[in-house]
Amino acid sequence: MRRHHFYKGRVLDQELRSIYTDKKGKLPDMSRLEHEYHRRTTRILLGLVFFFAVVTAASWLGFLLFGAPGKGGGEVSLKFDGPQEVVAGVPQEITLTYKNLDRKPLAFGALRLRFPDHAILKEADPKPEEGRLEWNFGTLAARASNEIRLKIIPYGLTGDTLEIQSIFSYKPADFNAEFQAAKNHTFTIRASAVTVALAAPQEATPGETIEIRAEITNETDENFDAITAELTPPSTFILGDTDPKSEKGVWILGTLAPGEKKEIKLQGTFLSNAQGPQDIALDIVRKLNAEKLYPLGQEKTTIHVKGANLQINLLINSNPETQWLRLGEVLKLSAKLSNNGNEPIKGLRISIPIQ
């Protein structure tokens, strides 16, 4: 047994030597090599721990001393203060406050407003650039804020909404890029400055002359100028005599003082092809130039037209629809008459006025 163990240990020793012996036939000092390896790894680990500890401490120290770094595009806040439910045509005062939230100044700041079609800027403090809704502020100190006071006149019909948009463009002192902040303010028209009362018959028959009265009242303390009333009848309605005089259903009323009332009277008839409910509307607007119309009020009425026994259809070039014609083109007019009743119609007379 001893020989057997001795032989086995001897063989094992030879096998281990054959594995670890280098080319020169020498064995390395395994104890010294392992000891040196652990010392080097420990030093590296300790160095890394120390390095990250220093970096973490420096980051926290910078955060406590200088605060969190500003996020691009988030250093400026905008805020509107003012009414949201308004009366059309009545000036509204709102305040727009802008503030630099960063701990560093802004290299420059500029503000511009976008107005809807039915809103007018009456006053602004400070005033914007000449002919433009823009303000240039230059530099803005850290944590500084300021405001712009606006007096705006909203126009529209009840239920309309008008949105005013502000856009603030700026460049932080420590950035070589431009950012923007935006804020909106919405007006909702809850009442009309000018009311319209229409008095019209509830029923009519084709060819019957009817009368419509309109009473227009300024319900506010504002003085409105350049007031115009515009009638929107159905295509089956022919306008007759009016007071004041008007050929196309448009009346220039001029100035409407606070509490003042003005009246319009008009007559008209429905064509033979009119049948059922017919809507007629009268709009009150401020017409400041040829293109801009600012609504102040509107009223509609519905007249039920009973079907007539006599029906007349006028054709131009065999076409009953509205059509475009060339200057100098020869037109062929024809009228088609139909008796929808059970009795003959006597004494008919047809005239086709051309204007």
Side-chain angles (χ1 to χ4, degrees):
M1 296 295 292
R2 290 181 180 178
R3 290 181 180 179
H4 177 70
H5 287 296
F6 174 76
Y7 175 74
K8 185 176 182 180
R10 186 176 181 181
V11 172
L12 181 61
D13 181 66
Q14 291 178 355
E15 291 178 353
L16 292 174
R17 286 177 177 274
S18 65
I19 293 173
Y20 292 101
T21 301
D22 59 14
K23 294 180 179 181
K24 295 182 180 181
K26 295 182 180 181
L27 289 173
D29 190 346
M30 303 295 290
S31 61
R32 292 185 58 188
L33 181 61
E34 183 179 5
H35 177 70
E36 185 66 25
Y37 172 77
H38 282 296
R39 288 182 59 190
R40 185 179 301 170
T41 303
T42 302
R43 289 178 180 177
I44 293 174
L45 292 176
L46 290 175
L48 290 175
V49 170
F50 179 76
F51 172 77
F52 285 114
V54 172
V55 171
T56 302
S59 299
W60 278 102
L61 182 61
F63 178 84
L64 294 175
L65 291 177
F66 304 105
K71 298 180 180 179
E75 292 88 353
V76 171
S77 69
L78 297 172
K79 181 183 178 183
F80 277 106
D81 290 311
Q84 294 182 332
E85 297 186 354
V86 297
V87 177
V90 177
Q92 306 294 327
E93 294 184 359
I94 63 175
T95 301
L96 174 58
T97 303
Y98 56 92
K99 182 176 182 180
N100 179 12
L101 300 177
D102 204 351
R103 295 188 177 184
K104 296 180 180 179
L106 300 181
F108 78 87
L111 176 73
R112 69 178 183 272
L113 295 179
R114 291 179 178 174
F115 269 42
D117 291 337
H118 293 163
I120 297 176
L121 178 63
K122 186 176 182 180
E123 296 178 7
D125 184 21
K127 294 182 178 181
E129 299 288 329
E130 185 68 28
R132 307 173 69 181
L133 293 176
E134 294 186 5
W135 291 259
N136 292 310
F137 307 114
T139 59
L140 187 62
R143 302 294 189 184
S145 64
N146 213 331
E147 63 184 24
I148 299 176
R149 296 185 176 274
L150 306 169
K151 183 176 285 188
I152 301 171
I153 306 177
Y155 293 92
L157 303 179
T158 303
D160 289 350
T161 57
L162 309 176
E163 188 172 79
I164 299 171
Q165 184 182 42
S166 63
I167 302 174
F168 194 98
S169 302
Y170 62 96
K171 181 179 178 181
D174 55 349
F175 274 81
N176 192 25
E178 184 176 323
F179 302 97
Q180 287 186 343
K183 190 71 174 180
N184 296 344
H185 184 80
T186 302
F187 288 130
T188 300
I189 306 298
R190 290 304 182 196
S192 298
V194 177
T195 60
V196 182
L198 288 179
Q202 296 182 351
E203 295 182 348
T205 57
E208 177 189 1
T209 300
I210 63 172
E211 183 176 272
I212 301 175
R213 293 172 177 264
E215 187 178 78
I216 303 162
T217 306
N218 181 0
E219 301 286 356
T220 70
D221 295 331
E222 299 295 320
N223 189 72
F224 298 117
D225 59 352
I227 299 299
T228 300
E230 297 184 356
L231 183 70
T232 306
S235 60
T236 56
F237 185 80
I238 303 299
L239 183 64
D241 293 335
T242 67
D243 182 20
K245 293 295 184 180
S246 173
E247 294 183 356
K248 298 182 179 180
V250 177
W251 294 267
I252 298 176
L253 303 180
T255 301
L256 198 60
E260 184 180 1
K261 296 182 180 181
K262 291 191 177 183
E263 188 177 72
I264 295 175
K265 298 178 183 179
L266 62 96
Q267 293 180 343
T269 57
F270 286 98
L271 297 177
S272 60
N273 59 344
Q275 188 172 2
Q278 306 291 318
D279 293 331
I280 297 178
L282 186 67
D283 290 272
I284 308 301
V285 299
R286 283 191 73 192
K287 197 170 184 178
L288 300 183
N289 53 53
E291 298 179 355
K292 287 289 186 179
L293 300 178
Y294 297 93
L296 282 172
Q298 183 192 73
E299 184 62 24
K300 293 181 179 180
T301 186
T302 301
I303 301 175
H304 187 82
V305 179
K306 300 177 181 180
N309 293 332
L310 178 64
Q311 183 174 353
I312 304 175
N313 292 322
L314 181 64
L315 306 178
I316 299 178
N317 294 341
S318 301
N319 188 352
E321 303 296 332
T322 302
Q323 53 188 297
W324 292 96
L325 301 173
R326 295 179 180 178
L327 185 63
E329 181 179 354
V330 177
L331 305 180
K332 180 181 178 181
L333 275 68
S334 60
K336 181 181 179 182
L337 284 70
S338 301
N339 183 2
N340 299 325
N342 299 323
E343 299 292 334
I345 301 175
K346 300 179 180 180
L348 288 178
R349 180 183 176 184
I350 300 177
S351 63
I352 304 177
I354 298 177
Q355 298 180 351

